[in-house]
Structures are given as structure tokens and as C-alpha cells.
Amino acid sequence: MQIDTQTYQVRRQRLMQSLPESSVVIIRTGELATRNNDCEYEFRPHSSFFYLTGFPEPNAYALIHGRGDMTLVTLPKDPEREQWDGFRFGCEGAMSQFGAYDAAVLDDLDHVAFSALDGAANVVYLFNDDVLREKIAGWRDAIAARARMGAIAPTCFLDLSPIVSEMRLRKDSEEIAIMEKAAQISVEAHKQAMRSVRPGMNEYQLEAELNYVFMKSGARQPAYNNIVASGSNACVLHYIKNDEVIDDGDLILIDAGAELGCYAADITRTFPANGTFSEPQAALYQVVLDAYHAGMKELTVGTPYEACHNAAVRTLTAGLVKHGLLKGEVDFLIESKAYRDFYMHNTGHWLGLDVHDCGAYKVAGESRLLEAGMVLTIEPGLYVSVDNESVDPKWRGIGIRIEDDVLICDDGPYVLTHGLPKEIADIEAFMAESR
């Protein structure tokens, strides 16, 4: 699934319309990263660069000016290097395939930048890009040195990040279609893990089932490091070792999502290795599930973003009190953040080209109101450390999270990751079918 070239052009036009007159936007995609010695990681373009250009190759720069005209500076066609490293689009491909107004080879970057920035009033770039900041400073100084010849160096510099972040926050129909496809690939991967798990397996063997479905279904890689956490490993929020044996009686927490067309899915499910929840596991799982449903009710247009989290926290805290893991009044326990011993993260995040996607969560100091087209996760959880001696031993080492991807719509939330069991009875019935 690909986004139409015209869509990228419209994005660049919208970007330039939001900027002052005589602005030039410069953004780069990044370079190959070395894994070890002369082996590189597979390249993945910078998300905002890709959002504005669709161009997938490394070592590329985009200069956007006028009404959205784009000059792409990229690696040249080189049959010898392409024999080793693979196909390059080159300048001709940059123009014919990606809608560039003009294109140049990387060796001409300085010349292209000088021409674009001479006389420009504003230079707009990502302030957190140290490499580009140094280059821009060098180009500015070089232009200033030619002042006697009539060159005019730019004097105003604007951060691109908040501007493009706001654009990326609201997904269009093409993005939503890709994200739902990524979500459904991820759903099938999680189902395969539920079918395949057996006590005595290693966590990475279960991870292999996820990656197999991802790739078989057209998603070349996961959107982030897969978390396959058995037993007390599920209490480690970003557990990625995935190298321990799964024991009978363990819960398995899998947090994994496919990346498709650079767009991320993000799902978490928690299920029993032997197919049946124990009584303590089921009790805490139901608390998390209740928090999920409470939060979901708040995912409506015009509702503050933080309302989902607040509803989940209240439900989780009440559940902890009900089962004796916390003692006291729910309001006080929330105010004092006593629940954070068991629930230490937020109940979701924006989702898109990055799994933790860009976009401000507050506007003018207030929780921003949800709008149609926003995509976010909902992911309440509970984590009882094995070292927590304040609770009954039966609870210790239980880690649970339930996560789905949700599109905000005018008529209510739409779960992109639909079709994956999360009710206790549904999980047990689904797992029983494969045994």
C-alpha cells in the first residue's frame, strides 16, 4: 500500500502556506547506521522527511520553497555501487517518481543550498537535527561572506518540529487505510502467538511466530522491538531480551506491532501459557479490562485527551483496593499517586509514522481536545513486582497490559486492531481451539 505522490505535494503546499513569506524548509532523511564493522542496519527514513516526500533512500535532503516546490538532493545513479547496495532512484527518479520540482546529486548539496538560502528570510528545519544545524550555519556564514557581491544571508530560523507534528497528528484517509492494514497484520500475528504458545518454549521462539506473520503478510519488520515477556518478565515495561523459558502457569505479555509503509501498529495482549487463567491472574486481568472499557468511553471528539487516562486510573485504583493490594479511599490513593506502585505509565500515546508519534498532548497548558482523524493507543496495565512484600504472595510477579489502536471518529472511537480477543472467556476459548 502506497500513498499517492500528489498527497505528498499537497502536504508540502499546506506546510508552506503555514509559514511566513520567503521561507525555505530543509529536512534530511538520515544515513545508514553501522551495526558492526562493515555491516549496516536496514535503512528507515526519518518519519517527517518521509511524511513530506515519500522518498525512501538514505543520504537525501529535501529543500521546499515557494508554494511547495521541492528540490531533492540524493545519491546519484551509480551502476557499480548499485551492484553492491541495490537500486537508486537518482535525480531522474526523484523527479518522475516523487514529484520533485528539481533534483541534484549529493555532491552538489552546498551549491543547491546556497542558491536556495541566498535572499531567503526564514530557514525552517528540525532544531534537534545537530548535523543539519551545523550545515545550515556553514551555509549562512558562506552566504554572509559574499555580502559585497550582493548575497543576502538568512537571519531568521524556525523550528519545523511543532509545525510538521501538528500536520502529522491528524491522519488522512490514505494513512488510515495503511494503519488499519498494519493493525490487522498485527492482529493475525498475535493470534498466531496465542495458538502456538506451549509451556517449555523459549520466549524468542514465540517471537519468531510474530515475525513470521509480519513478513508473510507484507510487513517487512516490526514497528519497534517485540516484547515477549513470560511470568514476572511482564513487570518489566520494556522487556526485550525475550530469551527465557515459558513455564506452565505463566502469563505471557506480548507487546508487538507491524510496520507497513513506515506506519506503525501497536498491540499488547496478555494470555496464559497453558490456556487458562489462574484465579489471581483472572482477577487482576479483569481489573485491567474494566479500565480499558472505562477509558474507551472517553475517546470521543471534543473530550480532553487526559480523560481516558483519568478514567483508567480510577478503575485500576478501585480494583486494587477491592483485591487488597491497596488500602484506603480511592480519591486519596489517586491524589497521592499510590497506584503508581502498580501502574506507572500513561494510558496511551499518539500513533502514526512513529510508534510514539509526534503531536502535543497539551495546548496552552490544557489537555488537548480529541479530533476526528487522530489515532492513539489505549493501554492500561497492572504490574506487581516479585519483590513487593506489601501484597499477598499470590499477586507477586503478575504483569498485565491490554492495548489497542484507536481512530477518533465523529461517531465514536473505531478500533483499528479489531478482531483480537481480550475478554477472559474469549481468550481461553480461542486458545482451546488450537490445543
Side-chain angles (χ1 to χ4, degrees):
M1 301 180 72
Q2 291 185 332
I3 291 175
D4 189 81
T5 302
Q6 184 61 30
T7 299
Y8 294 107
Q9 176 64 29
V10 170
R11 290 174 183 173
R12 294 191 293 270
Q13 290 171 347
R14 286 172 49 212
L15 172 64
M16 298 310 295
Q17 289 169 0
S18 72
L19 295 172
E21 290 284 338
S22 189
S23 293
V24 176
V25 174
I26 307 178
I27 190 168
R28 69 188 186 99
T29 187
E31 295 81 31
L32 288 167
T34 300
R35 182 184 186 276
N36 59 298
N37 200 11
D38 60 350
C39 298
E40 285 84 27
Y41 289 103
E42 182 179 0
F43 180 72
R44 200 275 194 188
H46 185 281
S47 294
S48 289
F49 177 93
F50 188 78
Y51 179 80
L52 292 170
T53 69
F55 193 72
E57 293 182 2
N59 300 100
Y61 290 74
L63 291 86
I64 306 170
H65 45 88
R67 296 183 178 180
D69 295 333
M70 175 177 66
T71 300
L72 268 178
V73 182
T74 184
L75 293 169
K77 295 291 291 181
D78 185 335
E80 182 177 352
R81 288 315 312 167
E82 290 179 61
Q83 176 72 54
W84 287 91
D85 303 327
F87 172 81
R88 293 178 182 176
F89 284 102
C91 293
E92 182 178 340
M95 297 178 68
S96 64
Q97 301 296 313
F98 297 93
Y101 172 81
D102 196 6
V105 297
L106 191 61
D107 285 347
D108 291 338
L109 174 63
D110 287 345
H111 173 73
V112 171
F114 291 160
S115 298
L117 298 185
D118 185 1
N122 310 283
V123 181
V124 189
Y125 69 100
L126 297 171
F127 279 10
N128 61 1
D129 186 338
D130 294 337
V131 172
L132 188 55
R133 181 171 61 250
E134 290 186 13
K135 285 185 175 293
I136 289 172
W139 295 330
R140 175 202 59 202
D141 292 347
I143 294 170
R146 301 177 184 178
R148 291 186 178 180
M149 294 181 284
I152 303 173
T155 58
C156 183
F157 301 88
L158 304 175
D159 188 5
L160 176 61
S161 182
I163 304 166
V164 74
S165 292
E166 284 297 302
M167 293 177 64
R168 285 173 52 187
L169 183 56
R170 300 161 187 83
K171 274 59 179 182
D172 60 37
S173 59
E174 290 177 285
E175 292 177 289
I176 291 166
I178 294 173
M179 292 184 71
E180 184 164 16
K181 178 64 174 176
Q184 287 303 302
I185 290 172
S186 305
V187 165
E188 292 306 313
H190 278 257
K191 285 182 176 179
Q192 179 62 21
M194 287 183 184
R195 293 187 192 103
S196 303
V197 66
R198 297 291 187 277
M201 291 178 67
N202 196 289
E203 292 165 340
Y204 57 67
Q205 292 175 300
L206 200 54
E207 181 180 18
E209 301 287 345
L210 299 167
N211 289 334
Y212 170 72
V213 175
F214 288 166
M215 292 189 182
K216 180 182 177 182
S217 304
R220 179 66 180 83
Q221 62 270 315
Y224 51 95
N225 291 324
N226 297 324
I227 296 171
V228 182
S230 61
S232 63
N233 295 332
C235 297
V236 180
L237 299 183
H238 290 164
Y239 175 84
I240 58 172
K241 290 193 343 178
N242 303 347
D243 64 354
E244 294 194 11
V245 173
I246 298 168
D247 292 329
D248 192 13
D250 278 351
L251 285 180
I252 312 294
L253 186 157
I254 293 183
D255 187 338
E259 181 176 281
L260 185 66
C262 288
Y263 285 85
D266 186 5
I267 301 177
T268 307
R269 286 295 186 270
T270 309
F271 53 91
N274 61 17
T276 304
F277 288 89
S278 71
E279 185 177 340
Q281 291 169 351
L284 290 190
Y285 186 95
Q286 189 61 51
V287 172
V288 176
L289 186 60
D290 291 344
Y292 170 97
H293 289 305
M296 185 67 73
K297 292 177 181 177
E298 303 298 331
L299 298 183
T300 58
V301 171
T303 300
Y305 172 86
E306 65 183 10
C308 174
H309 176 69
N310 292 341
V313 165
R314 178 163 294 277
T315 303
L316 292 171
T317 305
L320 290 168
V321 171
K322 174 183 176 181
H323 293 295
L325 286 86
L326 284 177
K327 294 180 174 58
E329 294 294 327
V330 170
D331 287 341
F332 175 78
L333 294 170
I334 292 173
E335 184 178 354
S336 64
K337 300 189 184 301
Y339 66 88
R340 288 186 66 83
D341 285 344
F342 305 97
Y343 182 54
M344 57 293 295
H345 60 78
N346 288 326
T347 310
H349 52 78
W350 305 128
L351 185 69
L353 285 166
D354 296 310
V355 67
H356 290 167
D357 209 27
C358 59
Y361 292 93
K362 290 189 175 183
V363 177
E366 299 292 332
S367 181
R368 86 179 306 147
L369 303 183
L370 297 177
E371 301 174 34
M374 294 177 173
V375 179
L376 67 160
T377 66
I378 177 171
E379 51 179 304
L382 286 176
Y383 315 91
V384 188
S385 170
V386 292
D387 300 321
N388 190 337
E389 297 182 356
S390 70
V391 302
D392 190 306
K394 69 180 182 180
W395 306 116
R396 298 175 195 170
I398 295 178
I400 298 165
R401 184 162 63 252
I402 304 169
E403 179 180 21
D404 276 317
D405 305 342
V406 181
L407 169 67
I408 304 300
C409 301
D410 288 323
D411 57 354
Y414 175 68
V415 178
L416 298 173
T417 45
H418 55 81
L420 184 58
K422 54 180 165 282
E423 302 288 337
I424 291 174
D426 292 341
I427 290 173
E428 292 183 339
F430 180 84
M431 296 183 71
E433 293 174 1
S434 64
R435 278 163 163 72

